[in-house]
Amino acid sequence: MPVPFVCHSEVDVLIIGAGPAGLMCANALANARVNVRIVDQKAVKLTTGEGDGIAPRTTEVLQSYGLAERLIKESCQLHLASFYNPSSTGGIELTNRTRSVTASSARYPFELTLHQGAIQDIFLDSMTSLGVKVERSTIPTSIELSKDENELTDPTSYPVRVVLQRLDKSEDEPREEIVHAKFVVGGDGAHSWIRKQMNITMDGEQSDAIWGVVDMVTPDTDFPDVRNKALVHSNHGSVIFVPREQDRIRVYIQLEDKDVIDPVTGRVDKEKMGPEQILATAQRSLEPYKLIRKSEFLWWTIYSVGQRVASKFSINNRVFIAGDACHTHSPKAGMNASINDSHNLAWKIALVVRGWADMPLLSTYEPERRKFALDLIAWDKMWSTLCCSKPLTEQNNDGVSPEHFLKTFQTDFTSGIGIHYSPSIAVNDRNQELASGLVLGKRVPPCKFMRAADAWPFELQDLLPSDFLFKLLVFTGDFSDPLQQARVESMVTDIRKPKSFLNRYASPGNSRFDIFTISKGRKETFNVFLLPTLLRSHWSKVFIDDTDPTGTFGGDGYSCYGVGPEGALVAVRPDGYVGAIAPLDRVGELDAYFASFMKIPRN
């Protein structure tokens, strides 16, 4: 019998799993023109159910890839959150309505909801336009990581060997392929095959909370907040309403163990309760309000909340896990964490593959995202406990008060705005006082500046696309002041030196940096051409901190960012987070920052 032919191939990055983490990573790497492949066991793409909520920071991230406009157009916006608690008559009553997003610096001060299949379609369409498609009906059957230290530390080597099997091929067709990869990313979900093969443990516990979920067309109801995010805390259990796109709605319903747990296995048994019974359980918690279903259920499930974090997020900086593969928690935060895991990882892999950065840069992925995951789990435990606890009533003095419930809800953490990466080679910890509003390790907050050439207002975040370049924000101060002008010109002299970061890491026709100049000045009198040429490489790269021509907004950027009249240099990472800050007269501090992970190009 002839031996089946086995194909061998090489790839920069192989991604296992086409969920939010995998698709985000594949799309980002495709944008970076990295040779990437993504495989998934499923034969068809997701069309219903699963995650559906996009936090404000995630919308900012998608905007940096040019994807937010479509996302916002297709989604439902949640601007208000309402809170219901037990009334004196035995039912529930409205106790508060507040902003759904309370983070003051959120560019998009609302949550978005859209079913996960539609969100994934945005990534899929973007990837396809860049020549990358999901290879479906494909699974990994073995993975081997080289033990050769020289091979592991050489970014040009292919130390990961993965055997892929096609499930849609007949027995007489070649079904196996051996892929030699520089890097492998496991975005293959809570039951991650990659994680298990790498012997990475999941640390944490399974909570006692069990929830039912139903997706349906907005029902006939007299519940006043059916189209707001509504959190109902009743004596019969908790219910959460999440309005969705196209007149749809999702309802989360707290369930009792006895209704859904198999007494023999101790596991959730979906045969014991269907969507009708789940909705009936919600109805008991909503008295005196009524819900009358108008059409068939679109999707439903029952789940218990497991709150666990992987012991490692990477092996030898060659095999990584992201998304549910490395942290599991209640579904209200999962997709956002997954997308932001990949956003953090992709630029680091891309820079190493390009030969722009050394391997140690990849070591920052695990501490940055694992710390966030641990913080997320801690918050999720607290929030889940509150949701599942009895509310405060005259009969239950130990219950959860409406004030406590509201205060826990109102946090920057759930919006994603509060993500703060600790000092590392990718986050400096010096000179924060020079730009107190641009916090080292946090994302650049939104602020509008006027383009000097034409007084066109621009949102600064839109000048920081995810194009895998570092952005240097040069706050010159008032360039019309002779003393400040001298400081700026001295800084330019320093930055032009052959050994400065700008030249040290440059190669012909290939810069790793994009420079934006932000000056104090008036649009009526500012002259772009007085600036040194380095600070005006193109007329579109110079901005002033002034009001727009109508005087409606702007003019408070220096104040918002805490930059004084002496100015500052701010290095922004490719993912939009502040990496380093330096005074104008100490360019050497940026030289040292970039020297910690950047690679000098070969001549």
Side-chain angles (χ1 to χ4, degrees):
M1 184 175 180
V3 178
F5 171 75
V6 178
C7 173
H8 286 252
S9 63
E10 291 182 343
V11 69
D12 290 338
V13 184
L14 175 65
I15 300 171
I16 309 298
L23 291 174
M24 173 68 186
C25 193
N27 180 66
L29 292 172
N31 271 279
R33 303 302 187 265
V34 169
N35 181 14
V36 59
R37 290 175 61 185
I38 177 170
V39 303
D40 193 86
Q41 180 175 359
K42 296 185 179 70
V44 296
K45 67 181 183 179
L46 185 70
T47 56
T48 59
E50 302 197 19
D52 64 355
I54 295 292
R57 174 56 191 158
T58 306
T59 306
E60 291 180 358
V61 168
L62 294 185
Q63 170 64 14
S64 75
Y65 291 92
L67 303 177
E69 182 178 356
R70 174 176 167 184
L71 174 70
I72 294 171
K73 182 179 179 180
E74 295 184 9
S75 299
C76 174
Q77 296 182 16
L78 306 189
H79 291 269
L80 282 180
S82 60
F83 296 81
Y84 284 75
N85 286 278
S87 68
S88 58
T89 58
I92 58 170
E93 62 182 1
L94 176 68
T95 54
N96 208 315
R97 279 197 189 110
T98 187
R99 291 164 54 193
S100 177
V101 173
T102 57
S104 59
S105 72
R107 179 180 179 183
Y108 304 97
F110 46 80
E111 297 175 83
L112 294 173
T113 54
L114 180 66
H115 77 82
Q116 186 172 316
I119 294 170
Q120 293 185 179
D121 279 348
I122 295 174
F123 291 124
L124 288 166
D125 291 346
S126 176
M127 288 162 45
T128 300
S129 70
L130 297 167
V132 177
K133 293 185 178 182
V134 177
E135 300 171 42
R136 298 198 175 275
S137 300
T138 303
I139 60 170
T141 58
S142 74
I143 181 170
E144 295 177 18
L145 181 60
S146 173
K147 294 181 173 58
D148 184 331
E149 192 65 26
N150 291 327
E151 192 176 5
L152 290 172
T153 55
D154 177 4
T156 65
S157 70
Y158 296 82
V160 194
R161 180 184 183 273
V162 181
V163 178
L164 297 179
Q165 183 179 43
R166 291 290 299 269
L167 303 177
D168 56 352
K169 299 286 187 181
S170 62
E171 290 187 5
D172 57 348
E173 292 181 284
R175 302 183 68 187
E176 281 197 346
E177 176 187 0
I178 297 175
V179 179
H180 303 270
K182 292 179 180 177
F183 304 99
V184 170
V185 178
D188 47 345
H191 303 290
S192 171
W193 180 89
I194 292 287
R195 186 187 68 231
K196 292 171 184 175
Q197 294 301 306
M198 293 291 104
N199 295 314
I200 299 173
T201 60
M202 288 291 278
D203 304 327
E205 58 193 20
Q206 193 76 14
S207 76
D208 296 330
I210 301 173
W211 291 80
V213 189
V214 293
D215 287 353
M216 57 185 176
V217 173
T218 302
D220 286 331
T221 182
D222 56 355
F223 181 63
D225 286 281
V226 70
R227 293 304 300 179
N228 287 322
K229 185 173 187 176
L231 299 98
V232 177
H233 212 188
S234 84
N235 289 321
H236 301 288
S238 293
V239 178
I240 300 174
F241 286 86
V242 180
R244 285 265 302 277
E245 76 284 357
Q246 299 176 356
D247 195 30
R248 299 174 182 178
I249 189 170
R250 170 167 290 187
V251 188
Y252 292 90
I253 302 100
Q254 183 184 356
L255 303 176
E256 294 189 32
D257 289 7
K258 63 181 180 63
D259 294 328
V260 289
I261 294 293
D262 184 316
V264 177
T265 65
R267 295 179 177 274
V268 170
D269 182 359
K270 290 177 69 174
E271 299 298 320
K272 296 190 68 175
M273 178 177 274
E276 289 284 7
Q277 294 92 334
I278 293 172
L279 195 60
T281 302
Q283 180 64 74
R284 287 195 294 274
S285 297
L286 292 172
E287 291 292 341
Y289 303 107
K290 304 295 182 186
L291 291 180
I292 301 174
R293 180 167 59 87
K294 294 190 294 188
S295 59
E296 296 299 314
F297 292 101
L298 302 171
W299 180 80
W300 70 279
T301 193
I302 297 172
Y303 69 91
S304 59
V305 178
Q307 291 154 331
R308 298 184 175 91
V309 177
S311 56
K312 296 179 179 180
F313 282 23
S314 67
I315 301 293
N316 295 116
N317 285 334
R318 290 294 187 168
V319 179
F320 303 89
I321 53 175
D324 287 354
C326 51
H327 43 72
T328 61
H329 30 72
S330 64
K332 289 85 173 173
M335 183 160 50
N336 292 283
S338 298
I339 289 171
N340 282 279
D341 283 348
S342 292
H343 181 55
N344 181 284
L345 177 61
W347 72 269
K348 298 171 183 177
I349 291 178
L351 264 58
V352 171
V353 169
R354 286 180 175 181
W356 290 9
D358 287 314
M359 291 289 289
L361 178 63
L362 296 169
S363 298
T364 64
Y365 168 66
E366 180 176 307
E368 288 188 345
R369 294 308 297 173
R370 191 168 187 274
K371 178 183 181 299
F372 170 78
L374 290 169
D375 292 343
L376 175 61
I377 294 298
W379 181 88
D380 191 57
K381 284 182 178 180
M382 178 173 58
W383 178 246
S384 296
T385 299
L386 290 180
C387 286
C388 297
S389 299
K390 291 290 186 180
L392 178 67
T393 61
E394 290 183 2
Q395 293 74 32
N396 184 22
N397 293 326
D398 296 328
V400 177
S401 70
E403 294 77 17
H404 187 192
F405 201 67
L406 178 64
K407 185 178 180 181
T408 306
F409 173 81
Q410 292 176 326
T411 170
D412 282 4
F413 191 78
T414 52
S415 67
I417 302 301
I419 294 173
H420 192 176
Y421 298 138
S422 299
S424 67
I425 60 172
V427 178
N428 211 329
D429 61 355
R430 304 181 66 180
N431 305 311
Q432 182 65 78
E433 71 281 358
L434 296 177
S436 58
L438 291 168
V439 180
L440 289 158
K442 296 188 77 170
R443 106 305 187 204
V444 174
C447 188
K448 288 186 172 66
F449 293 93
M450 303 306 122
R451 191 163 62 189
D454 53 10
W456 189 331
F458 272 79
E459 170 54 61
L460 183 61
Q461 285 189 349
D462 289 338
L463 305 178
L464 311 174
S466 291
D467 57 6
F468 303 90
L469 300 178
F470 281 86
K471 313 302 188 299
L472 182 64
L473 306 181
V474 181
F475 291 90
T476 65
D478 184 358
F479 195 73
S480 67
D481 174 25
L483 185 60
Q484 189 62 18
Q485 181 177 338
R487 291 193 188 104
V488 172
E489 289 174 344
S490 177
M491 177 271 295
V492 169
T493 299
D494 290 340
I495 213 169
R496 283 189 181 277
K497 291 177 179 177
K499 292 189 177 181
S500 83
F501 68 91
L502 195 64
N503 293 314
R504 192 179 189 195
Y505 306 110
S507 54
N510 199 357
S511 176
R512 305 178 190 180
F513 306 94
D514 206 355
I515 299 176
F516 292 95
T517 300
I518 304 174
S519 291
K520 292 183 73 69
R522 299 288 298 169
K523 54 189 171 292
E524 294 85 359
T525 58
F526 191 84
N527 185 347
V528 171
F529 295 102
L530 295 179
L531 292 168
T533 55
L534 179 72
L535 302 184
R536 52 178 176 88
S537 61
H538 191 269
W539 60 266
S540 64
K541 301 293 182 72
V542 182
F543 294 81
I544 53 175
D545 185 20
D546 194 12
T547 58
D548 76 303
T550 69
T552 306
F553 58 84
D556 59 351
Y558 270 64
S559 174
C560 176
Y561 289 159
V563 178
E566 69 279 4
L569 298 171
V570 179
V572 181
R573 306 185 335 178
D575 59 352
Y577 285 76
V578 181
I581 300 172
L584 298 184
D585 60 355
R586 297 211 296 270
V587 172
E589 295 197 15
L590 292 186
D591 293 337
Y593 168 70
F594 288 112
S596 66
F597 58 84
M598 278 280 201
K599 181 182 286 188
I600 299 173
R602 295 178 179 177
N603 294 328

